[in-house]
Amino acid sequence: YLTGLNEDSILEMAREDYRSALEARRDVETRKLRDYRLYRRFNSMLTGGGLEEDDKGEHGWAKLTVPLVFWITETVLPRLGVDPPKVTVTPRTPEAGPFAQAAQLRMDRHMKRLWFQDRAIRAIKQFLILGDSPIKTPWDQTLGGPGMLVVPWFDWFISPEALVWDEAEVLFHRTWHTRRSLQDLAARDARLDAPAYDHSCLEELADMATRRDAQDESWAPRREASGFQSEPMYDQQSQVCMVECWYRDGSRVVIGGMGEHPDKLVRVVEEPAFTDPQGVPFRPFTVLQNSPDLFTPYGISDAEMLEDHQREVSTLRRQWVDQMTANLNAPIAYDDSRIRAEDVQAGFGQPNGLIP
């Protein structure tokens, strides 16, 4: 894809590809935000959570939400904590048994060192709530093997022509950096035998750091849905993004800058890092999908499947509470020539109250 292109052309191509992916999924992003709000409504009675104006009861009194999505998600996850997923090595012949046991021990040790159980549970939680959970397996120098990184759904993009994520022409992984993290990246890169980055470019990116919500439209709504009320810390408020563009032919481009308009070419790699036995370039992503959709590469979440049911159950409960409230507050007619108002109040003011 990059053959014959100069740096300016590569930057323009990667930037346009990224912007196309952003624009193509804005509606999906709105839907995923709605799914996340449905999940977070377990505390809506205390904080207002994701409660909207039309979610109030018939008379505007009841504001209860039945947290169906939250209940189901938090029923599945504790089971995984007790019995987490495990990679099992199975011998194909009786003679391979001892070698399979040794491979199993090495696998268990590697998985423990990369915190597989914790990250697997985080990944499964994300695909239950949002429908997709991208996982990146970069090479980890410390482990001497592949690592495991759960990529936030809102920082992972698919080129718009794809109907299946792994057939996409290009996959994007967006990461966020503070000034200090960029300085740390440059310092670690400088210690390598073959540095990967232009350090002057990293310094320029550090000077471009600004408010994250000015660069990412979903950032503020996600914080609000999570219950964050305070302003973020300085280093979290001033950030800059870098976007890795992984093309189908194995080439990759890293661009950085301001949100949807990155204007710095940080890194270009024209050859694939790995290929499979058939020579197909390897891109270090896999995606857990709850239920694949037929006409979009993004999956369908439990929250989306349960949305109508949760809203209906919540509506029925609010109507019931409002109706009971109206019944309890209804005026009582009495004959003031036969009984005093104080006696009526005393009789109705307690269970099994008696009126003489």
Side-chain angles (χ1 to χ4, degrees), residues 138-307:
W139 189 263
D140 191 302
Q141 295 287 351
T142 304
L143 295 175
M148 179 178 177
L149 177 68
V150 181
V151 179
W153 186 90
F154 291 93
D155 289 324
W156 188 73
F157 306 88
I158 303 169
S159 53
E161 89 292 341
L163 292 181
V164 182
W165 75 266
D166 58 345
E167 296 177 359
E169 195 172 78
V170 55
L171 300 172
F172 304 90
H173 176 206
R174 180 174 63 185
T175 54
W176 295 90
H177 302 267
T178 65
R179 291 185 176 89
R180 285 184 300 190
S181 67
L182 286 172
Q183 293 166 357
D184 180 59
L185 175 62
R188 285 187 287 114
D189 188 56
R191 292 195 291 268
L192 298 178
D193 295 334
Y197 298 100
D198 181 345
H199 296 173
S200 62
C201 181
L202 295 181
E203 291 177 4
E204 292 176 13
L205 284 176
D207 292 336
M208 297 170 65
T210 184
R211 289 180 62 96
R212 179 164 171 176
D213 54 7
Q215 308 171 62
D216 179 4
E217 292 182 2
S218 68
W219 176 241
R222 276 184 282 156
R223 280 179 54 84
E224 181 267 334
S226 298
F228 286 104
Q229 302 294 328
S230 59
E231 280 291 315
M233 296 290 287
Y234 174 78
D235 274 341
Q236 296 300 318
Q237 189 173 3
S238 296
Q239 298 186 21
V240 65
C241 77
M242 287 202 294
V243 182
E244 300 174 22
C245 312
W246 293 80
Y247 287 89
R248 189 160 47 196
D249 67 346
S251 58
R252 57 193 186 275
V253 178
V254 182
I255 54 179
M258 300 291 291
E260 299 179 11
H261 310 282
D263 56 1
K264 295 292 179 184
L265 188 62
V266 182
R267 188 184 184 192
V268 177
V269 180
E270 297 193 21
E271 298 296 328
F274 300 98
T275 57
D276 67 13
Q278 286 74 40
V280 178
F282 171 76
R283 293 188 287 187
F285 295 98
T286 189
V287 180
L288 301 181
Q289 279 200 332
N290 195 10
S291 179
D293 205 341
L294 294 178
F295 306 109
T296 170
Y298 299 104
I300 304 170
S301 67
D302 271 13
E304 191 170 353
M305 296 177 192
L306 293 166
E307 177 184 4

Side-chain angles (χ1 to χ4, degrees), residues 76-89 104 107-112 114-125 127-128 135 148 150 288:
V76 173
L77 291 175
R79 296 177 184 175
L80 293 173
V82 174
D83 187 16
K86 181 181 175 68
V87 179
T88 303
V89 180
Q104 184 71 64
M107 179 68 72
D108 291 346
R109 179 176 180 270
H110 186 78
M111 291 297 188
K112 185 175 182 180
L114 61 78
W115 300 92
F116 172 76
Q117 179 175 335
D118 173 70
R119 294 176 185 181
I121 290 175
R122 291 179 62 85
I124 291 169
K125 184 168 189 172
F127 99 82
L128 286 173
I135 298 172
M148 179 178 177
V150 181
L288 301 181

Side-chain angles (χ1 to χ4, degrees), residues 332-343:
I332 300 172
Y334 70 97
D335 185 347
D336 61 0
S337 68
R338 293 175 174 270
I339 190 170
R340 297 182 307 154
E342 292 80 2
D343 294 333

Side-chain angles (χ1 to χ4, degrees), residues 40-148:
R40 293 294 302 195
R41 283 187 178 192
F42 71 95
N43 66 349
S44 63
M45 189 171 179
L46 299 177
T47 65
L51 202 67
E52 300 171 3
E53 189 63 30
D54 57 356
D55 285 338
K56 295 179 181 178
E58 182 180 357
H59 301 291
W61 298 325
K63 299 180 182 180
L64 298 173
T65 299
V66 179
L68 198 60
V69 175
F70 178 78
W71 289 344
I72 290 178
T73 303
E74 298 305 321
T75 299
V76 173
L77 291 175
R79 296 177 184 175
L80 293 173
V82 174
D83 187 16
K86 181 181 175 68
V87 179
T88 303
V89 180
T90 304
R92 295 183 178 179
T93 64
E95 296 78 10
F99 299 96
Q101 290 178 352
Q104 184 71 64
L105 291 172
R106 287 197 301 270
M107 179 68 72
D108 291 346
R109 179 176 180 270
H110 186 78
M111 291 297 188
K112 185 175 182 180
R113 291 179 67 197
L114 61 78
W115 300 92
F116 172 76
Q117 179 175 335
D118 173 70
R119 294 176 185 181
I121 290 175
R122 291 179 62 85
I124 291 169
K125 184 168 189 172
Q126 183 167 241
F127 99 82
L128 286 173
I129 299 171
L130 300 178
D132 307 285
S133 187
I135 298 172
K136 188 178 182 183
T137 52
W139 189 263
D140 191 302
Q141 295 287 351
T142 304
L143 295 175
M148 179 178 177

